[in-house]
Amino acid sequence: MPIRRLPDALVNLIAAGEVVERPAAALRELVENSLDAGARRVEVDLERGGKDLIRVTDDGCGIPKEEIPVALERHATSKIETADDLTRILSLGFRGEALPSIAAVSRFKLLSRMKAEDVAWEVRAEGGKISPLEARSAPPGTSVEAASLFHNTPARRKFLKTDATELSHCLDFLSRLALVRPEISFRVQHGGQTVLDAPAAPELRERAAQVLGKEARGHLYPILWEGDAAGEKIRWEGLVGSPELLSRTQSSIYLFVNGRPIRDRSLAHAVQSAYREVLVERKYPTVVLSLTIDPASVDVNIHPTKSEVRFRAPQAIYGSILKALETLFEEAPWLPAAAPTPSIPAYSTETGEVVDRQQRIQEALAAYEPKRKGWAPDYSSRALSPRPGEEKSRIESAAAKSNFFAGLDVIGQFHNEFLVCQTADALYLIDQHAAHERVYYERLREAALSPGGKGAQRLLVPKVIELPAPKALALLEAAPDLSRLGFEIESYGGGAVLVRSVPAILAERPVDELIAECASEMLERGKTRAGEQAIEEICARVACHGVIRGSTPLSREEAKALLAQMADTDYAAHCPHGRPVVREIFRADVERLFKRVI
C-alpha cells in the first residue's frame, strides 16, 4: 500500500485514543484548562459517570472570539511558545491536543465569553465537522460540554466500566485537584445530585475535611520541610495522617508536584517506608503531600495523560520525602501533650475528710499485687532502666523527645497486661508488651545500624539447636542480617544450627526459645528485603519475641522505668508492627458514663 497522509478526522481519533481513555481523562483535560484560565469557581455536571455528559463551567478569563476555532485545532495552545518552554512547564495543560481529541469522540460544544465582552460565542463540533460561531448570552468564563462520549467509536465505548466505576474515577481526580487547590471552589453534580461540594477553603485542613470527611480532620497534621535534593532547593508541605487514619488501598496517598496531581510508585513507596515504624501491615496511610521544585528539574511531558513525571534526581527526591516524614514522626504529634498530674482530692464517705485518692488506690494495689510465678525475664531496673552511665542523659533527652510518657502517673495494672495511668484530665491504657517491644526494637536497631558494633553477647558454650529443616534454612538465609544484631549463627548439619552469640539486650532470654521463634518468623515471612529495611524488619521480629509476653505483673517502679524509656524512644506511640501502644479515655467521658455530666 502507498504511503499517504491520514485525514484530520482520523488523526484526531488516534490522538483521542491516547488522551481520552475514559470519561475521567476528558474531565481532567477540561478542568485543568479552567484552572489554567484563572478560574476561581469550577462546576462539573456528569451523566452516567461521564459517558453521556461531561460539562465543565468556569469563571475564568474566557477565550477571544477569533481564537475559539483555533482552540479546536491540533497542537494549538497559549501555554508554550518555544522549545525552551517545555523544560519549565508550570501550567497544567500544554500540548494543545485536549479539545480536538475530545471533540473527535463526542458531541462537543464550547461556549466562552471574555470579561470585557458583552456577548459569548458558541461553537459545536461532531465527527470532525466544526460549526460556525454563534452569539449567545452567558456570564464571563467558559463552558465546555462533551456529550455521548465515544458515540462514533462503539468498540471503545463498550470497554468502559459501569457508571459507578467511571464516576469514581472522575471523583478521584477532582478530589485530588481540590486538595492541591483549596482556594478554588469545586462543585460536582451527577444525575442532578450533588456528589462533591467543596467551597473555597482558607487553609488545607479545611479542604481536607471537605474532601476526605470531617472525621479525618482530627487525624491530620501539618508538615513543612525544606531542604536540598541533589543541589536543588525543594519543599514538601501538606498534611500527614496519624496511624489511626488508614486505608485498604494506596489511593489515600495524594501526591503533587508543583501543583500537579501525579501518581508515582517510587514516592508512594517512600511514604509507606516512612510509615513502616507505625503502620499495621497491609494498610496504607493517608497523606496529602505537595512538592515544590524547580520546573527544570522535573519532566512532566512523559505520559499522554500527564499523570506521571520524571525527576532529574529521583533518588534524592525519594530520600527527601523519607526525611521529611521521619522528622515529623519523631515528634509523634498525635500523642496528647502531657499535663502535670495534680493530687485529686475526694471526700471519704464515712468521715467526710479529704483524702488523697491516688494514695489510696496505690496502697490498695500494693496490698493485692500478685507475685511472679514461674520463669519470667528480669524486668527490674537493670533490664528496664537506662543503661549504666546513661541515666541522666537519657532522662534529660526524654524530656526533649516526648514529655507525654514521662508525665504519666501509674496507678495500676489491668489483668497484668495493660498499665493504667492518668493525667489531670484523662485516663490512659498502655499495652506493656507493645511498649516494651518498641523499646527493645529501638535498641536493637541502634546496635545493628550504628558503626560502633553489634552489641553482641558471646555464649560461654556455643549452643547447638535442632530445628526442622525448612526453619533452619530460613534462619541461615537471614544469618548475614541477623549477625548485625549480634546473632552469630552457622550451620551444624541437617536441621541443626550452632549459636555462638546473641544480642546483649536479649542475653537473659533462653537461647533455644529465642532461636526457635526467630526461625518460625523467618519461615513464615520469607526472605526479607535487602539493606537497612531488612535489618529493621528482623529487629522488629526479634524484639517481639524478646520482651514482656502475655500476663506479667510489674511493680510500680518497673512500670515507671518502662515509661521513662518510652519517653526516650522514637515513634513511641506504636510498636514496630504498627499496633498502638496507648489509648486515651478523657475524664469527661468517664464522668459521662456515670451520668455526672449533662
Side-chain angles (χ1 to χ4, degrees):
M1 294 179 64
I3 298 175
R4 57 186 181 275
R5 293 182 180 277
L6 296 175
D8 290 342
L10 184 54
V11 169
N12 284 335
L13 282 174
I14 294 172
E18 296 179 345
V19 178
V20 190
E21 58 191 81
R22 67 191 325 151
L27 178 65
R28 175 178 187 142
E29 299 289 351
L30 298 180
V31 175
E32 287 181 347
N33 280 345
S34 293
L35 298 185
D36 285 340
R40 307 293 295 181
R41 186 187 72 254
V42 178
E43 296 184 358
V44 177
D45 292 283
L46 302 171
E47 298 287 347
R48 294 197 58 207
K51 290 187 277 188
D52 284 0
L53 175 67
I54 301 172
R55 183 189 299 118
V56 177
T57 304
D58 66 56
D59 62 349
C61 64
I63 306 173
K65 174 186 175 182
E66 62 276 9
E67 293 180 10
I68 291 177
V70 181
L72 294 181
E73 296 179 8
R74 294 195 69 219
H75 304 305
T77 179
S78 62
K79 300 165 188 177
I80 59 173
E81 293 185 59
T82 68
D84 290 340
D85 293 338
L86 286 173
T87 65
R88 300 188 64 85
I89 294 173
L90 289 173
S91 58
L92 295 174
F94 54 88
R95 292 196 182 99
E97 286 187 297
L99 293 185
S101 297
I102 296 171
V105 292
S106 68
R107 295 185 171 95
F108 183 87
K109 181 174 73 173
L110 185 151
L111 177 68
S112 187
R113 174 189 160 192
M114 300 281 290
K115 292 183 179 180
E117 300 292 333
D118 295 329
V119 297
W121 295 95
E122 180 183 277
V123 65
R124 295 174 181 264
E126 183 176 344
K129 297 181 180 180
I130 301 176
S131 70
L133 289 174
E134 296 183 17
R136 292 283 188 268
S137 175
T142 301
S143 176
V144 181
E145 181 179 303
S148 304
L149 199 64
F150 300 128
H151 71 97
N152 53 349
T153 55
R156 290 288 303 279
R157 187 174 176 90
K158 74 177 183 179
F159 279 101
L160 295 179
K161 304 301 182 182
T162 64
D163 296 354
T165 299
E166 297 299 341
L167 175 61
S168 70
H169 284 284
C170 291
L171 291 177
D172 179 68
F173 161 69
L174 290 169
S175 297
R176 291 176 183 276
L177 203 58
L179 284 170
V180 77
R181 299 295 295 272
E183 75 280 6
I184 308 297
S185 174
F186 292 89
R187 188 167 184 266
V188 185
Q189 288 194 312
H190 182 257
Q193 301 292 320
T194 300
V195 291
L196 176 64
D197 189 9
E203 47 101 15
L204 181 56
R205 187 175 291 184
E206 181 65 30
R207 173 52 58 87
Q210 295 171 352
V211 175
L212 304 179
K214 292 181 179 179
E215 65 279 0
R217 183 170 185 170
H219 295 283
L220 292 169
Y221 300 88
I223 183 173
L224 176 60
W225 185 90
E226 295 179 318
D228 293 328
E232 297 284 350
K233 294 291 185 181
I234 66 170
R235 180 176 66 190
W236 285 103
E237 59 184 323
L239 297 173
V240 173
S242 76
E244 306 296 323
L245 194 61
L246 301 179
S247 171
R248 293 184 179 273
T249 67
Q250 205 175 70
S251 62
S252 59
I253 299 177
Y254 300 91
L255 298 173
F256 310 92
V257 175
N258 290 340
R260 181 186 304 277
I262 67 161
R263 296 185 184 277
D264 188 287
R265 290 183 179 180
S266 176
L267 293 184
H269 180 268
V271 171
Q272 290 174 251
S273 295
Y275 268 88
R276 68 187 180 273
E277 302 282 0
V278 296
L279 199 64
V280 178
E281 292 182 13
R282 292 180 292 278
K283 295 287 188 178
Y284 296 90
T286 298
V287 299
V288 181
L289 289 172
S290 184
L291 171 65
T292 301
I293 189 173
D294 184 350
S297 298
V298 57
D299 183 2
V300 301
N301 192 23
I302 65 170
H303 194 276
T305 63
K306 300 172 293 184
S307 60
E308 299 177 10
V309 299
R310 180 187 292 120
F311 295 102
R312 186 166 64 186
Q315 292 301 319
I317 299 298
Y318 184 99
S320 72
I321 194 172
L322 273 175
K323 191 177 297 182
L325 289 173
E326 289 175 349
T327 299
L328 178 70
F329 290 168
E330 288 175 1
E331 300 173 1
W334 39 82
L335 280 178
T341 306
S343 178
I344 305 173
Y347 283 92
S348 166
T349 56
E350 296 180 358
T351 64
E353 295 178 356
V354 177
V355 297
D356 189 320
R357 181 183 301 169
Q358 293 180 39
Q359 182 178 351
R360 293 182 62 190
I361 292 174
Q362 292 162 9
E363 290 175 354
L365 286 172
Y368 293 100
E369 183 178 18
K371 304 299 181 182
R372 290 186 175 86
K373 294 181 180 180
W375 179 86
D378 179 12
Y379 300 119
S380 62
S381 57
R382 181 181 62 82
L384 285 172
S385 296
R387 290 169 232 168
E390 295 186 9
E391 180 167 354
K392 183 177 180 181
S393 63
R394 291 182 69 87
I395 296 300
E396 287 176 350
S397 63
K401 284 196 172 186
S402 172
N403 287 326
F404 172 70
F405 287 101
L408 293 178
D409 180 48
V410 181
I411 59 176
Q413 261 185 305
F414 179 66
H415 284 295
N416 291 331
E417 294 183 49
F418 303 93
L419 299 181
V420 183
C421 307
Q422 70 175 3
T423 60
D425 59 356
L427 181 73
Y428 295 92
L429 294 178
I430 295 176
D431 184 335
Q432 63 192 35
H433 168 73
H436 202 204
E437 187 178 338
R438 168 56 70 177
V439 171
Y440 266 34
Y441 167 78
E442 291 295 336
R443 287 192 177 180
L444 285 168
R445 182 177 180 276
E446 180 183 359
L449 299 180
S450 66
K454 306 169 184 176
Q457 174 68 55
R458 293 194 67 84
L459 302 179
L460 187 62
V461 178
K463 184 83 171 180
V464 177
I465 300 175
E466 295 284 345
L467 296 169
K471 291 186 178 181
L473 288 173
L475 190 68
L476 291 170
E477 185 179 26
D481 290 331
L482 287 169
S483 68
R484 296 181 61 181
L485 300 181
F487 285 101
E488 188 177 346
I489 302 172
E490 57 191 66
S491 175
Y492 200 69
V497 297
L498 181 68
V499 182
R500 297 186 181 277
S501 68
V502 296
I505 193 174
L506 301 177
E508 298 295 325
R509 185 78 194 273
V511 177
D512 304 63
E513 184 179 342
L514 182 61
I515 293 298
E517 289 175 345
C518 285
S520 297
E521 286 280 352
M522 303 304 168
L523 181 63
E524 180 181 346
R525 303 219 182 186
K527 184 173 175 62
T528 61
R529 298 171 192 165
E532 182 174 331
Q533 190 166 352
I535 294 296
E536 291 172 344
E537 289 178 359
I538 292 176
C539 286
R541 299 176 196 178
V542 173
C544 182
H545 296 290
V547 299
I548 300 173
R549 307 300 301 274
S551 177
T552 304
L554 298 180
S555 69
R556 179 179 173 82
E557 289 70 26
E558 291 168 344
K560 291 180 69 175
L562 177 57
L563 293 179
Q565 288 192 343
M566 290 296 293
D568 195 27
T569 300
D570 292 337
Y571 310 110
H574 291 78
C575 81
H577 304 296
R579 293 185 294 104
V581 166
V582 59
R583 290 295 189 185
E584 180 181 54
I585 305 171
F586 287 104
R587 179 176 178 178
D589 295 329
V590 177
E591 291 177 338
R592 194 174 291 110
L593 289 174
F594 293 95
K595 302 190 183 301
R596 296 179 62 181
V597 177
I598 300 178

